[in-house]
Amino acid sequence: FASTGKKRSVLTARLEYAMSRGAGLQADAAAGQGNFFDMLGGDAPEEGDMIEEDLAEWTEGELFSREKELLGTYISGHPLDRYRATITRLGVVPAGHLEQQSPGRYGVAGIIRHIDFLTTRDGKPWARVTVEDLWGEGQVLFFSEFFEKVKYQLNPGAVFLFRINITIPHWDREGKRKTVACEKLTPLDDEIIRELHIWLKGADGRGLVSLRETLLDRRYSGRSPVFFHVDAGDGKRAVIRANNTITVSPARELLDSLQGSGLVERIELV
């Protein structure tokens, strides 16, 4: 598709129309039926040609989903590509290797690919979720109590950090059957550490002390490192990282407070 210079959405819509049209003509021919325009000796207008070029292009998510559905793999990239650095930092276990792990707690970062909604003998709902990560797929169980807490978050395509607890049932004396259950669910976006970059207008001493106190406020404590962009003379800027003890959670309240300090020219999250 990319080599044609056309939008994938338009080409696919036309292809789907052509396939549907062809199937319809075959069915009519088999039934001995003709098209109204055929009887008039004219040509039927092709609806496929009227599919607008300004049809919205697929989003990245739609593209990955269609590639996976049609080809069984990804061609244009992977839905988790933008999380690679975060996944590496988290030190997660491949979803497909969970059954091979010893009893204990592990992390898995991936996409919900499929959900089987089930019911216990007592009528309580639970789910078996297929998780896809950078290396393959694996299944995770959501038992009733935890399932009830997170069921509205369980949607195909959602990306999470799954906190897994692997146990061996007490009745399995040989330890061959493991239970792989999720006990905590966190959107993977919440695990991304972003850098807070602050462009300073000047180096007012009193203002810098106030700025430091704001950044050290426990209400804003987090994991994002802070970088200052300061005037180095001759129209140049120097970038200085704040002390390692200053790491923040870049909440809107903090950003508004910094922007209103009078010392800050602009702020960016990278």
Side-chain angles (χ1 to χ4, degrees), residues 131-251:
V131 178
E132 177 187 6
D133 60 14
L134 290 168
W135 306 280
E137 293 184 352
Q139 291 190 332
V140 177
L141 306 181
F142 283 71
F143 291 133
S144 298
E145 185 176 351
F146 182 61
F147 172 76
E148 286 292 345
K149 296 178 181 178
V150 300
K151 60 184 179 182
Y152 297 113
Q153 295 178 258
L154 300 181
N155 297 298
V159 181
F160 290 103
L161 170 63
F162 302 81
R163 292 298 182 183
I164 307 297
N165 186 15
I166 299 179
T167 58
I168 297 176
H170 64 85
W171 45 262
D172 184 5
R173 296 181 179 179
E174 296 183 4
K176 293 182 178 181
R177 186 168 181 175
K178 297 174 183 176
T179 299
V180 180
C182 184
E183 59 183 16
K184 185 177 180 181
L185 196 64
T186 306
L188 198 52
D189 281 321
D190 292 352
E191 295 293 332
I192 296 177
I193 296 179
R194 304 177 70 183
E195 298 175 351
L196 177 61
H197 286 252
I198 302 173
W199 274 258
L200 298 177
K201 295 178 180 178
D204 173 64
R206 192 172 295 179
L208 289 175
V209 171
S210 176
L211 186 64
R212 182 175 183 275
E213 290 176 350
T214 300
L215 292 171
L216 285 174
D217 191 319
R218 290 184 178 181
R219 291 177 299 167
Y220 309 130
S221 179
R223 296 177 297 176
S224 295
V226 178
F227 294 83
F228 296 107
H229 294 247
V230 299
D231 184 5
D234 297 328
K236 297 180 180 179
R237 284 271 183 174
V239 181
I240 303 171
R241 177 169 179 168
N243 189 291
N244 289 335
T245 60
I246 300 179
T247 54
V248 301
S249 175

Side-chain angles (χ1 to χ4, degrees), residues 62-74 113:
E62 290 172 328
L63 174 59
F64 288 145
S65 179
R66 286 177 177 265
E67 287 180 348
K68 184 70 173 181
E69 180 183 351
L70 296 174
L71 305 175
T73 188
Y74 301 108
R113 183 55 58 199

Side-chain angles (χ1 to χ4, degrees), residues 93 97-106 164-168 175 178-180:
V93 173
H97 294 176
L98 284 171
E99 290 285 351
Q100 303 169 21
Q101 305 303 314
S102 301
R105 287 180 166 81
Y106 303 88
I164 307 297
N165 186 15
I166 299 179
T167 58
I168 297 176
K178 297 174 183 176
T179 299
V180 180

Side-chain angles (χ1 to χ4, degrees), residues 115-135:
I115 307 171
D116 291 314
F117 294 101
L118 305 164
T119 306
T120 67
R121 293 178 182 177
D122 299 331
K124 296 180 179 180
W126 64 287
R128 181 171 53 241
V129 176
T130 300
V131 178
E132 177 187 6
D133 60 14
L134 290 168
W135 306 280

